[in-house]
């Protein structure tokens, strides 16, 4: 009888197993670190938690916390609306800005490594406390120059000098808000720039050489080659930016959740689960819309 040879996996099967191995650490971490707290907060959201001599004491009250969040708490609806409005304009701006910077950093020029490090540096050092210090007051110092730098770094500093220059009030306020947003956008775009940069480097140079031979302009090459081939990266960037925007420390809903977690654990847990479901739905809708327009590079 003939011995059967070993069955080799196809490329698709190897890629599938590689993906499972990459996601395995997350699954293990979720099961051992996050699953129990998530279930516990879900239980808290249906209770009225108070502090007793033996610890937390919970009284089951059904959906009363959820009813109060939507019908009795005006702050939650207002803050949720603010978060959604911020999301609507921040996500496309950050995505476009990240792609623009990544395309610049993808070209060869002197100091390219330094420039790349500068744009990724906020990801390393920008904790919630650090960015708040940089944006608002700066570290306490007696140096006059440092105080002026911090003042200029804020929108109020720009507005003061523009008013003195005699510019229109509306124009000054629009410019000040724009300048104030540049800092936020730059500090929120480090990961996105890195993702786009990695995607741009996977596009074969021969594609652009062929388009040059055919007489295509740089604009036509962007829309016919670059934009379609980085569409899978755009999906990752947009989903990441949506989640990052919702979990940003300045997000008003996140501030509410943090505010209630010390004295009203049950209500903080309720807001957390409502927020989680809303974010999950929005991410699902975004994925469903943009994934239909994704074009993958053929091997």
């Amino acid at each position: 009888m003939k011995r059967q040879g070993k069955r080799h996996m196809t490329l698709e099967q190897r890629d599938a197993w590689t993906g499972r191995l990459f996601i395995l650490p997350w699954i293990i971490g979720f099961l051992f670190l996050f699953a129990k707290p998530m279930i516990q907060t879900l239980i808290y959201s249906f209770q009225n938690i108070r502090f007793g001599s033996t610890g937390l004491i919970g009284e089951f009250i059904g959906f009363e916390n959820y009813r109060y969040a939507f019908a009795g708490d005006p702050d939650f609806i207002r803050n949720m609306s603010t978060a959604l409005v911020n999301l609507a304009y921040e996500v496309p701006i950050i995505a476009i800005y990240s792609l623009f910077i990544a395309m610049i950093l993808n070209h060869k020029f002197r100091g390219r490594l330094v420039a790349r490090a500068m744009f990724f540096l906020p990801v390393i050092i920008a904790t919630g406390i650090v960015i708040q210090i940089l944006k608002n007051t700066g570290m306490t110092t007696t140096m006059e120059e440092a105080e002026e730098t911090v003042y200029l770094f804020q929108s109020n500093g720009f507005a003061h000098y523009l008013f003195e220059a005699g510019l229109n009030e509306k124009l000054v306020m629009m410019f000040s808000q724009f300048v104030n947003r540049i800092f936020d956008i730059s500090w929120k775009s480090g990961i996105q720039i890195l993702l786009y940069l990695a995607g741009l480097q996977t596009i074969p140079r021969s594609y652009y050489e062929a388009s040059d031979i055919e007489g295509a302009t740089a604009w036509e090459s962007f829309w016919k080659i670059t934009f379609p081939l980085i569409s899978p990266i755009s999906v990752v960037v947009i989903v990441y930016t949506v989640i990052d925007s919702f979990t940003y420390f300045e997000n008003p809903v996140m501030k509410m959740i943090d505010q209630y977690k010390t004295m009203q654990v049950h209500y903080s847990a309720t807001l957390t689960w409502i927020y989680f479901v809303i974010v999950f739905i929005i991410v699902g809708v975004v994925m469903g819309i943009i994934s239909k327009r994704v074009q993958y590079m053929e091997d």
Side-chain angles (χ1 to χ4, degrees), residues 48-217:
N48 179 26
I49 303 295
R50 55 188 176 86
F51 293 92
S53 57
T54 58
L56 297 178
I57 301 175
E59 176 188 357
F60 181 78
I61 58 174
F63 288 92
E64 189 61 34
N65 291 325
Y66 292 91
R67 190 179 299 110
Y68 175 75
F70 287 105
D73 187 356
D75 293 334
F76 175 69
I77 300 299
R78 183 178 65 251
N79 290 332
M80 191 69 231
S81 302
T82 302
L84 292 174
V85 170
N86 291 341
L87 174 75
Y89 72 82
E90 274 189 359
V91 171
I93 290 175
I94 291 175
I96 294 171
Y97 174 82
S98 301
L99 178 57
F100 175 74
I101 297 299
M103 291 183 67
I104 294 176
L105 297 178
N106 194 42
H107 288 84
K108 294 182 179 180
F109 57 89
R110 285 188 176 182
R112 181 173 64 167
L113 291 177
V114 177
R116 290 179 177 179
M118 287 176 60
F119 278 101
F120 191 69
L121 191 61
V123 179
I124 302 174
I125 67 172
T127 62
I129 299 299
V130 173
I131 197 172
Q132 190 67 33
I133 291 173
L134 289 174
K135 285 183 59 182
N136 294 332
T137 59
M139 294 184 179
T140 304
T141 177
T142 56
M143 296 177 61
E144 208 172 297
E145 295 83 359
E147 291 176 359
E148 290 177 358
T149 302
V150 173
Y151 179 64
L152 282 174
F153 199 57
Q154 299 173 350
S155 60
N156 292 337
F158 286 104
H160 173 73
Y161 289 104
L162 292 175
F163 278 129
E164 287 188 349
L167 296 180
N168 180 270
E169 182 179 353
K170 280 189 176 181
L171 184 63
V172 171
M173 295 309 298
M174 288 176 60
F175 181 77
S176 299
Q177 291 175 3
F178 174 75
V179 170
N180 198 36
R181 286 292 179 184
I182 288 178
F183 180 78
D184 283 337
I185 292 171
S186 299
W187 281 72
K188 291 179 180 179
S189 303
I191 295 292
Q192 293 88 328
I193 292 172
L194 187 66
L195 289 171
Y196 271 130
L197 188 58
L200 290 171
Q201 293 177 349
T202 62
I203 301 177
R205 187 62 195 169
S206 58
Y207 289 10
Y208 295 103
E209 293 172 354
S211 67
D212 290 338
I213 294 173
E214 294 295 330
T217 63

Side-chain angles (χ1 to χ4, degrees), residues 247-263:
T247 56
Y248 192 52
F249 75 99
E250 285 190 346
N251 188 297
V253 181
M254 291 296 295
K255 287 183 177 180
M256 282 190 69
I257 293 173
D258 184 67
Q259 173 187 351
Y260 286 110
K261 72 179 183 181
T262 53
M263 298 304 297

